Amino acid sequence: MDIRLVNLTKIFADKNSEVRAVDNLTIDIPSGKLIGLLGPSGCGKSTTLYMISGLMEPSSGQIFFGDEDVTELPAEKRGIGLVFQNYALYPHMTIKQNIMFPLQNMKLSKVEAYERLHKYAKLVGIEELLNRKPKQLSGGQQQRVAIARALVKEPRVLLLDEPLSNLDARLRLQTREEIKRIQRETGITTIFVTHDQEEAMSISDEIVVMKFGVMQQLGQPQYVYDNPENQFVAKFLGTPPINIFNGYVSNGQLYIGREVIGQSELSNQEVTIGIRPEGIEISDDGKLTIEILQVENIGRDKSIVARNPFSEKDTVRFIVDSDSQVEEGQTVKVNIKPHKYHVFDKVTEVRVK
């Protein structure tokens, strides 16, 4: 089931103010894909999800499921499965009763209802837990129950609102892999809301990056990371975050301070330059000399915090292999890798190279 949002807008207004939570959002979501709505708190991603679900009415715009305009269709008639952040399981019911609860008004035979129960309990890996109560389950198991309950109706669309935010780091990793597997096996069009960029990039076919209700960029995760359309997207994606420098173009060359880091076809102007942590490398013939302030061991890599050679107030972050012999207080030479930096307009913050 493909989904189209056309000029979708949601305005929250009172006597003194007006907030455009979602502003003229137009997106085409292909059938069978997993799409991540991504952005900081307050960017409008959950509001978008609730409008798609029918739990919130748009101020303007349209929502299509396939060729059907569902903008004014009640939530219960849209054929959606919704998984909330807090799971919303009924504590007095068994897991079996929780999963089967949405089937009560569907006029299914008892045989078909039990077939669906066991089909989706098996799919999410909770067949052995059906007679337990929610309080007897871990957070990850409760999340699987919530997903099974959403899927048992065999909805046209699956909507997930920050589904992993209540889990610890290990369970988050495990459960996001499970969500990806379940989505692939069912082929259901899925929209996944999160503020965690690593989470969104790891499981989404495409991501939609939002800011203040406005879509900033849509595309495959790696493409968006490698080709951010503006400075906000570049800064939001990536851990450690991108390094930002004041720079300028002069006579076809791109400068940070007095150092040339590349060629440029732009006219002479001031610009902002973003360099990814993986775009800085230690080299014996490096053009820049920097002092290492802190070394963070993060497993396969080391994250280096160094003094910014162009600003005494700021630091620079870059990544080296875990076996690199670097120490705090050490001075090293570095180079900027070609094609690992972005150039942004100084005023509009749109990427120009």
Side-chain angles (χ1 to χ4, degrees):
M1 176 62 66
D2 61 299
I3 300 171
R4 285 188 297 130
L5 310 181
V6 182
N7 300 324
L8 196 64
T9 298
K10 181 62 179 179
I11 299 172
F12 295 103
D14 57 30
K15 294 180 180 179
N16 301 315
S17 63
E18 178 180 287
V19 176
R20 301 180 74 89
V22 177
D23 191 0
N24 205 37
L25 184 62
T26 296
I27 305 174
D28 289 337
I29 298 173
S31 179
K33 297 296 185 180
L34 194 160
I35 304 299
L37 296 184
L38 177 64
S41 296
C43 72
K45 54 189 185 294
S46 289
T47 301
T48 300
L49 193 81
Y50 291 142
M51 287 192 287
I52 295 170
S53 73
L55 295 179
M56 189 175 289
E57 184 179 347
S59 302
S60 62
Q62 293 174 288
I63 302 167
F64 292 89
F65 286 5
D67 293 328
E68 181 184 3
D69 186 343
V70 301
T71 311
E72 298 183 2
L73 200 65
E76 63 272 16
K77 294 184 178 180
R78 293 194 183 190
I80 59 102
L82 180 58
V83 179
F84 293 98
Q85 179 179 351
N86 62 357
Y87 320 140
L89 302 179
Y90 297 108
H92 62 287
M93 292 183 179
T94 64
I95 300 311
K96 179 194 299 183
Q97 292 169 332
N98 265 281
I99 294 175
M100 295 185 70
F101 184 79
L103 302 179
Q104 291 183 356
N105 297 322
M106 293 186 64
K107 298 180 180 180
L108 299 178
S109 68
K110 184 175 290 186
V111 172
E112 186 176 355
Y114 272 89
E115 284 179 351
R116 288 197 187 187
L117 166 68
H118 290 288
K119 174 184 178 180
Y120 292 105
K122 181 178 180 180
L123 180 67
V124 303
I126 56 171
E127 286 181 290
E128 307 300 320
L129 307 175
L130 294 178
N131 293 319
R132 297 186 187 181
K133 298 285 184 68
K135 67 180 180 181
Q136 297 175 291
L137 273 55
S138 68
Q141 289 170 331
Q142 290 185 42
Q143 185 60 280
R144 293 182 183 204
V145 174
I147 293 171
R149 185 178 61 183
L151 290 173
V152 76
K153 295 185 296 181
E154 298 189 345
R156 299 190 288 178
V157 177
L158 179 63
L159 306 174
L160 306 169
D161 185 22
E162 299 272 10
L164 310 182
S165 60
N166 290 331
L167 304 180
D168 62 36
R170 182 183 62 82
L171 275 176
R172 286 172 75 99
L173 179 61
Q174 178 183 337
T175 307
R176 78 189 190 197
E177 291 171 352
E178 286 296 301
I179 289 173
K180 183 74 168 181
R181 176 185 64 82
I182 291 164
Q183 193 275 331
R184 286 288 181 265
E185 290 188 19
T186 60
I188 188 171
T189 305
T190 301
I191 302 175
F192 178 97
V193 163
T194 181
H195 64 275
D196 187 319
Q197 48 97 9
E198 180 182 341
E199 198 167 273
M201 293 186 69
S202 67
I203 71 171
S204 301
D205 295 308
E206 293 187 350
I207 57 173
V208 179
V209 183
M210 299 181 66
K211 175 187 178 185
F212 299 142
V214 177
M215 182 176 69
Q216 302 295 305
Q217 191 166 354
L218 180 153
Q220 295 180 352
Q222 192 62 48
Y223 180 85
V224 176
Y225 179 85
D226 291 335
N227 301 277
E229 291 186 359
N230 58 48
Q231 194 171 317
F232 173 82
V233 174
K235 291 169 71 174
F236 191 78
L237 296 181
T239 303
I242 195 168
N243 299 290
I244 299 296
F245 302 91
N246 292 319
Y248 61 95
V249 178
S250 179
N251 298 323
Q253 293 187 308
L254 183 64
Y255 288 82
I256 300 178
R258 296 182 179 180
E259 298 295 334
V260 177
I261 68 165
Q263 307 299 310
S264 178
E265 297 177 357
L266 298 172
S267 60
N268 292 353
Q269 61 184 288
E270 292 187 355
V271 294
T272 302
I273 299 170
I275 303 175
R276 294 285 186 196
E278 63 270 25
I280 300 175
E281 62 179 349
I282 296 176
S283 174
D284 290 338
D285 60 353
K287 296 179 180 179
L288 300 175
T289 300
I290 60 175
E291 178 189 354
I292 295 175
L293 302 176
Q294 189 173 342
V295 179
E296 300 173 354
N297 293 291
I298 53 176
R300 70 174 185 269
D301 301 314
K302 290 179 180 178
S303 176
I304 307 299
V305 181
R307 196 178 305 281
N308 187 329
F310 308 108
S311 171
E312 295 183 358
K313 297 183 296 181
D314 301 319
T315 57
V316 175
R317 278 186 175 270
F318 62 100
I319 300 292
V320 297
D321 291 336
S322 59
D323 57 359
S324 297
Q325 301 301 309
V326 289
E327 299 179 354
E328 295 178 4
Q330 183 179 356
T331 298
V332 296
K333 292 183 178 181
V334 300
N335 276 327
I336 308 302
K337 295 181 182 178
H339 313 300
K340 284 294 185 180
Y341 60 83
H342 304 296
V343 183
F344 304 96
D345 185 275
K346 192 74 172 178
V347 177
T348 67
E349 298 189 351
V350 171
R351 183 168 65 94
V352 291
K353 183 180 183 299

